[in-house]
């Protein structure tokens, strides 16, 4: 009996020890939960009762320069499935299958998932919303979101870009200004009971969001429409892969229009091929062809190696480093002033002028005009253009650069560079966005016009503009002329290598009241017999410019003469040998000559043309501090054939060449082939009969 009692007592003690141990564990656990780690469990308890709702911000609107809305945000319905509430998923899926952009299997899989709620299709059209709502499907509901909408459809689509389903910008200004346009989402915190009902006196907190900022552009919706319409019209007349038009206010860099074709509707961008999304005015490069001659002319005039009255010759070709460079004219233009070279768009003439500048000088002007670098217009994927590295440029490359071959530029680079000529020589940064409106005038982001650099002087810019006017008046750009308006410009035609395909262009400077507009038209990859810029791009320019001037209420003025007036006065070149550079230059300028100084010496040791030569007023006299500098110059040989002896001798002296006459009458042969470049000391034998 005693052993039994002892055994019971031991069991009781054991059970008591176990219970006591468990009790200690529970106490320690309670201390851990209630004291040591109480904050964490309070947070978990609260999170079970508190529901956080995201409050979407509204994306900012985009306006043109007159305040017209061209990108807005509208409410849109999103189809939501509540799987727990769907009684017959097969029937529901079959009802939605023909209406939604997803198939039956995908719908069924989603509406039978474990999720409390799931999106089926976001931001649907109102018509589709009405159809689905009319079916009154159990477990199918809607939530409201914000949807980007472009009221004018395709208008300015390449500038605006588009947004994705989550309202983030994917292209164009929507992408590059996404941070400003998208705003910041807010949230609402609400405390609920176990049944999901809001607790009347529970936690309720709102964290406000911020709507996106509105953006004001430089684009004029009407001018943009006109530009796009002209490209559309051109598609009906010519066979080409696409086109670009840029209208730029040269005084401040404002882009009034930037149109491209092919185009797309940003409201339905997914229905178009990717190539339609490309903003070719920004993203693509092309050989500018003869439009680049404006850069060559402005650079040479600024550098003082040429004036509009200097005499040049074109025997239909010129030889550079053994290569023949031809003129578009089969027979050439013969003797002509530089003003006529510009008017006639003569390649050999521009080569001769370009080679008067050394490589370093011409290359520096190409870079100064902004080629080979981004303009900073702030659109996605802006190309830099293709300018060969300085070390890889030889005489041939330098020669072809003068007429726009061998390098590639973007349309926006070309428009900005020619705007510098129109704007007193000041290169402006192209501007698309004027202002980002933050809702607080003191914090608004203002994009003021920005001068990048002074490229050429005002006098050179003015002279270049005058010379370009004659191109439109009587030269290769007559198809761009508009009666009563002052227009200067240049055509361009660049052939693709190894293909009968061309890029044709025209760029014009148009006087419009108190400002000059620069308008560039490009048609890419033209096929067929009609491909010259004068035949294709120039008429597009004329039609567009006429409409723009009418819209801006710029009245024609027939009292002004359009074009450069030549001064046919001839002057005799004085003898400057032995004079100081300073004195010689002063005397020459006083007499009506342009002067180019070569060398670092103080005295004139050689000159070109030689003394007593009769040449044009304001033509260039070269002064050398060392005779070797003159000897190193290579001079283009004219075609003397058919000229009277006196005329041939006079032309040779004006060019700085030595000729020896054999016989009398007219020249019937010459010992150096026309277009060759030789030293001034080499004699040219002329056979006369």
């Amino acid at each position: 009996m005693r052993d039994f009692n002892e055994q019971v007592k031991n069991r009781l003690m054991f059970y008591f020890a176990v219970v006591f141990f468990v009790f200690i564990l529970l106490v320690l656990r309670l201390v851990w939960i209630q004291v040591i780690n109480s904050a964490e469990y309070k947070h978990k308890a609260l999170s079970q009762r508190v529901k956080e709702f995201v409050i979407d911000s509204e994306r900012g609107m985009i306006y043109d320069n007159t305040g017209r809305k061209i990108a807005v945000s509208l409410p849109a319905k999103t189809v939501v499935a509540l799987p727990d509430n769907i009684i017959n998923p097969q029937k529901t899926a079959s009802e939605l299958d023909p209406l939604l952009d997803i198939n039956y299997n995908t719908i069924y899989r989603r509406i039978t998932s474990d999720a409390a709620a799931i999106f089926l299709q976001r931001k649907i059209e109102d018509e589709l919303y009405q159809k689905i709502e009319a079916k009154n499907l159990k477990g199918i509901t809607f939530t409201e979101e914000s949807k980007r909408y472009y009221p004018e459809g395709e208008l300015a689509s390449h500038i605006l870009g588009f947004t994705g389903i989550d309202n983030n910008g994917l292209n164009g200004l929507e992408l590059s200004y996404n941070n400003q346009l998208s705003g910041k989402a807010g949230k609402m915190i609400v405390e609920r009971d176990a049944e999901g009902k809001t607790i009347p006196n529970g936690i309720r907190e709102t964290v406000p969001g911020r709507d996106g900022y509105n953006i004001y552009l430089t684009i004029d919706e009407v001018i943009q429409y006109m530009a796009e319409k002209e490209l559309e019209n051109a598609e009906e007349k010519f066979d080409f892969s696409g086109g670009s038009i840029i209208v730029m206010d040269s005084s401040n860099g404002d882009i009034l229009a930037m149109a491209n074709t092919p185009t797309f509707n940003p409201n339905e961008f997914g229905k178009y091929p990717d190539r339609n999304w490309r903003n070719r005015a920004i993203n693509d490069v092309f050989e500018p062809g003869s439009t680049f001659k404006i850069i060559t002319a402005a650079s040479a005039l600024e550098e003082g190696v040429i004036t509009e009255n200097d005499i040049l010759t074109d025997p239909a070709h010129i030889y550079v480093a053994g290569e023949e460079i031809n003129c578009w004219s089969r027979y050439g233009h013969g003797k002509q002033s530089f003003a006529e070279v510009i008017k006639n768009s003569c390649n050999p003439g521009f080569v001769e002028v370009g080679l008067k500048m050394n490589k370093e000088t011409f290359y520096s002007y190409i870079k100064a005009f902004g080629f080979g670098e981004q303009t900073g217009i702030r659109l996605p994927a802006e190309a830099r253009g293709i300018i060969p590295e300085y070390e890889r440029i030889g005489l041939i490359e330098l020669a072809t650069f003068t007429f726009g071959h061998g390098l590639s530029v973007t349309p926006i680079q070309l428009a900005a560079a020619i705007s510098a000529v129109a704007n007193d020589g000041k290169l402006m940064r192209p501007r698309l966005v004027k202002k980002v409106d933050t809702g607080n005038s003191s914090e608004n982001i203002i994009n003021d016009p920005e001068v990048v650099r002074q490229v050429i002087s005002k006098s050179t810019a003015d002279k270049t503009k005058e010379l370009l006017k004659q191109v439109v008046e009587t030269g290769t750009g007559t198809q761009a002329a508009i009666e009563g308006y002052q227009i200067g410009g240049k055509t361009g035609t660049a052939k693709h290598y190894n293909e009968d395909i061309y890029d044709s262009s025209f760029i014009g400077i148009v006087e419009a009241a108190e400002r000059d507009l620069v308008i560039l038209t490009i048609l890419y990859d033209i096929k067929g017999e009609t491909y010259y810029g004068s035949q294709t791009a120039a008429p597009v320019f004329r039609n567009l410019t006429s409409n723009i001037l009418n819209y801006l209420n710029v009245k024609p003025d027939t009292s002004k003469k359009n074009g450069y007036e030549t001064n046919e006065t001839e002057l005799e070149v004085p003898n400057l040998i032995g004079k100081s550079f300073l004195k010689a230059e002063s005397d020459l300028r006083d007499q009506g000559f342009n002067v180019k100084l070569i060398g670092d010496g103080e005295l004139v040791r050689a000159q070109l043309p030689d003394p007593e030569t009769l040449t044009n007023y304001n033509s260039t006299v070269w002064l050398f501090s060392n005779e070797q500098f003159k000897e190193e110059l290579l001079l283009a040989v004219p075609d003397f054939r058919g000229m009277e002896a006196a005329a041939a001798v006079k032309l040779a002296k004006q060019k700085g060449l030595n000729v020896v006459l054999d016989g009398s009458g007219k020249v019937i042969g010459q010992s150096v082939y026309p277009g060759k470049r030789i030293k001034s000391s080499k004699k040219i034998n002329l056979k006369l009969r």
Side-chain angles (χ1 to χ4, degrees):
M1 187 67 179
R2 187 174 186 176
D3 289 341
F4 175 77
N5 291 335
E6 188 70 25
Q7 192 176 13
V8 170
K9 181 180 178 180
N10 289 338
R11 287 180 179 178
L12 288 173
M13 290 295 294
F14 173 75
Y15 290 137
F16 177 78
V18 171
V19 171
F20 180 76
F21 180 72
V22 171
F23 176 76
I24 293 299
L25 288 179
L26 290 173
V27 169
L28 292 175
R29 180 62 176 166
L30 287 172
V31 170
W32 172 258
I33 293 173
Q34 296 290 340
V35 180
I36 298 174
N37 207 27
S38 62
E40 179 182 345
Y41 287 95
K42 284 180 181 178
H43 175 74
K44 287 184 177 180
L46 185 63
S47 64
Q48 290 178 347
R49 305 195 314 272
V50 170
K51 179 69 175 178
E52 185 177 286
F53 298 92
V54 174
I55 304 173
D56 288 336
S57 62
E58 186 169 312
R59 194 170 179 85
M61 290 188 283
I62 301 179
Y63 298 86
D64 82 339
N65 65 2
T66 63
R68 305 181 187 98
K69 297 176 183 178
I70 53 179
V72 299
S73 290
L74 299 177
K77 298 292 185 180
T78 287
V79 186
V80 179
L82 306 175
D84 291 343
N85 295 348
I86 296 176
I87 299 173
N88 188 340
Q90 293 89 348
K91 183 176 184 299
T92 302
S94 62
E95 290 279 359
L96 292 175
D97 180 28
L99 298 175
L100 301 184
D101 292 338
I102 50 179
N103 60 34
Y104 173 89
N105 291 333
T106 303
I107 297 171
Y108 183 81
R109 187 180 70 252
R110 291 185 182 180
I111 65 177
T112 55
S113 67
D114 293 333
I118 191 167
F119 288 151
L120 291 181
Q121 187 165 317
R122 299 178 65 184
K123 302 179 183 181
I124 63 175
E125 299 294 332
D126 190 61
E127 182 180 353
L128 178 57
Y129 161 67
Q130 300 290 347
K131 289 180 179 179
I132 297 174
E133 187 182 41
K135 289 183 177 293
N136 195 25
L137 299 172
K138 186 71 172 177
I140 301 299
T141 185
F142 303 89
T143 186
E144 194 165 281
E145 294 190 274
S146 178
K147 179 182 180 180
R148 201 59 163 168
Y149 178 67
Y150 304 91
E152 301 303 327
E154 296 182 357
L155 188 79
S157 57
H158 296 97
I159 299 170
L160 298 174
F162 48 82
T163 64
I165 196 67
D166 58 357
N167 256 5
N168 278 320
L170 299 179
N171 205 344
L173 290 174
E174 294 279 23
L175 172 59
S176 54
Y177 280 83
N178 186 62
N179 289 341
Q180 291 82 2
L181 287 165
S182 60
K184 183 179 180 181
K187 59 184 178 180
M188 178 184 293
I189 300 172
V190 178
E191 188 174 7
R192 297 186 174 192
D193 61 20
E195 295 182 354
K197 297 179 180 179
T198 302
I199 300 174
N201 296 320
I203 299 172
R204 184 183 293 268
E205 181 182 350
T206 300
V207 179
R210 173 184 63 76
D211 286 342
Y213 299 148
N214 297 329
I215 288 181
Y216 291 82
L217 306 184
T218 62
I219 296 294
D220 187 303
E221 184 182 83
V222 174
I223 297 178
Q224 179 71 27
Y225 171 80
M226 292 174 178
E228 293 185 12
K229 186 63 178 176
E230 285 306 322
L231 284 177
E232 183 183 325
N233 293 340
E235 286 182 305
E236 299 175 0
K237 300 177 182 177
F238 310 114
D239 182 8
F240 61 93
S241 71
S244 295
I245 289 177
I246 295 175
V247 181
M248 184 170 178
D249 185 339
S250 67
S251 66
N252 53 21
D254 283 0
I255 303 299
L256 302 180
M258 180 185 290
N260 294 277
T261 185
T263 187
F264 68 98
N265 187 334
N267 294 308
E268 303 174 316
F269 66 90
K271 296 181 179 180
Y272 296 81
D274 293 2
R275 72 182 188 92
N276 286 41
W277 303 348
R278 288 185 67 81
N279 186 342
R280 299 189 70 170
I282 300 294
N283 305 143
D284 289 2
V285 298
F286 74 110
E287 278 199 345
S290 292
T291 57
F292 199 79
K293 291 174 180 176
I294 301 174
I295 305 301
T296 305
S299 303
L301 290 169
E302 177 70 12
E303 198 59 23
V305 299
I306 199 80
T307 72
E308 67 279 9
N309 288 341
D310 275 326
I311 294 170
L312 302 166
T313 53
D314 171 30
H317 52 258
I318 188 170
Y319 290 92
V320 179
E323 296 291 334
E324 182 179 11
I325 298 175
N326 296 310
C327 182
W328 62 266
S329 172
R330 182 178 178 182
Y331 302 104
H333 296 95
K335 176 183 175 181
Q336 56 185 341
S337 68
F338 183 49
E340 292 171 318
V341 168
I342 294 174
K343 181 177 71 172
N344 297 327
S345 194
C346 175
N347 284 355
F350 273 96
V351 171
E352 191 174 350
V353 169
L355 294 180
K356 288 178 182 290
M357 295 183 282
N358 59 41
K359 181 174 80 170
E360 181 181 2
T361 300
F362 191 26
Y363 191 83
S364 69
Y365 276 103
I366 292 173
K367 301 295 285 186
F369 272 106
F371 298 107
E373 63 183 30
Q374 293 178 335
T375 65
I377 195 172
R378 198 173 170 181
L379 279 172
E382 181 185 0
R384 301 175 64 90
I386 303 173
I387 308 298
E389 295 177 5
Y390 181 80
E391 294 75 17
R392 298 176 59 188
I393 298 173
L395 273 179
I396 291 294
E397 289 75 21
L398 189 63
T400 59
F401 285 178
T402 64
F403 53 89
H405 289 262
L407 44 74
S408 295
V409 306
T410 63
I412 190 62
Q413 284 176 338
L414 184 60
I418 305 308
S419 288
V421 174
N423 186 39
D424 300 337
K426 295 190 290 288
L427 179 67
M428 304 297 296
R429 192 172 306 285
R431 186 172 66 150
L432 268 174
V433 175
K434 277 187 177 181
K435 182 178 73 171
V436 178
D437 186 357
T438 65
N440 185 337
S441 59
S442 63
E443 297 179 1
N444 287 343
I445 303 170
I446 308 297
N447 291 335
D448 292 320
E450 179 184 351
V451 178
V452 179
R453 65 182 72 91
Q454 183 83 36
V455 184
I456 55 177
S457 65
K458 182 181 184 304
S459 60
T460 297
D462 289 342
K463 179 64 67 178
T464 305
K465 284 196 292 184
E466 289 302 310
L467 292 170
L468 291 174
K469 289 178 182 178
Q470 63 169 349
V471 176
V472 175
E473 183 72 14
T474 57
T476 57
T478 54
Q479 289 298 312
I482 303 173
E483 182 69 26
Y485 293 98
Q486 298 284 296
I487 298 174
K490 194 74 193 68
T491 58
T493 308
K495 185 177 185 294
H496 288 215
Y497 294 101
N498 302 319
E499 292 183 277
D500 287 329
I501 299 175
Y502 301 82
D503 292 335
S504 300
S505 56
F506 184 89
I507 190 162
I509 300 173
V510 183
E511 292 185 12
E514 301 301 317
R515 57 182 174 176
D516 282 352
L517 300 181
V518 170
I519 301 176
L520 170 64
T521 61
I522 308 170
L523 305 180
Y524 306 105
D525 308 325
I526 290 188
K527 300 177 182 179
E529 297 181 357
T530 304
Y531 57 83
Y532 283 112
S534 58
Q535 301 170 311
T536 57
V540 174
F541 167 91
R542 182 189 62 237
N543 295 338
L544 173 60
T545 302
S546 179
N547 290 332
I548 291 174
L549 293 172
N550 184 56
Y551 167 67
L552 296 176
N553 199 29
V554 179
K555 302 298 183 184
D557 184 356
T558 55
S559 65
K560 291 183 179 179
K561 182 174 177 57
N562 193 20
Y564 172 75
E565 295 184 13
T566 58
N567 187 329
E568 299 180 357
T569 303
E570 286 192 327
L571 303 173
E572 183 178 297
V573 178
N575 188 347
L576 289 312
I577 306 298
K579 288 189 176 183
S580 71
F581 265 6
L582 186 62
K583 175 64 174 171
E585 180 181 11
S586 176
D587 288 349
L588 283 171
R589 294 196 185 280
D590 287 344
Q591 294 178 46
F593 290 99
N594 180 52
V595 185
K596 182 63 178 176
L597 307 176
I598 304 295
D600 298 325
E602 297 182 357
L603 299 179
V604 177
R605 299 301 183 186
Q607 68 179 78
L608 191 154
D610 290 333
E612 300 182 357
T613 299
L614 278 176
T615 189
N616 290 347
Y617 171 83
N618 195 35
S619 58
T620 305
V621 177
W622 293 58
L623 303 179
F624 305 89
S625 64
N626 189 316
E627 289 186 19
Q628 185 179 354
F629 294 153
K630 179 181 177 181
E631 291 295 323
E632 291 174 350
L633 281 181
L634 294 179
L635 307 173
V637 176
D639 188 350
F640 293 107
R641 291 170 296 186
M643 299 178 67
E644 297 286 349
V649 170
K650 180 180 179 181
L651 177 59
K653 286 186 176 182
Q654 290 172 336
K655 297 277 290 183
L657 297 167
N658 290 318
V659 294
V660 177
L661 303 181
D662 179 10
S664 59
K666 291 184 177 181
V667 178
I668 59 171
Q670 57 189 83
S671 60
V672 179
Y673 193 70
K676 293 283 188 181
R677 297 168 64 242
I678 63 172
K679 294 181 178 181
S680 61
S681 58
K682 183 175 181 177
K683 289 183 171 55
I684 303 172
N685 296 313
L686 301 182
K687 179 70 174 178
L688 291 84
R689 187 171 63 193

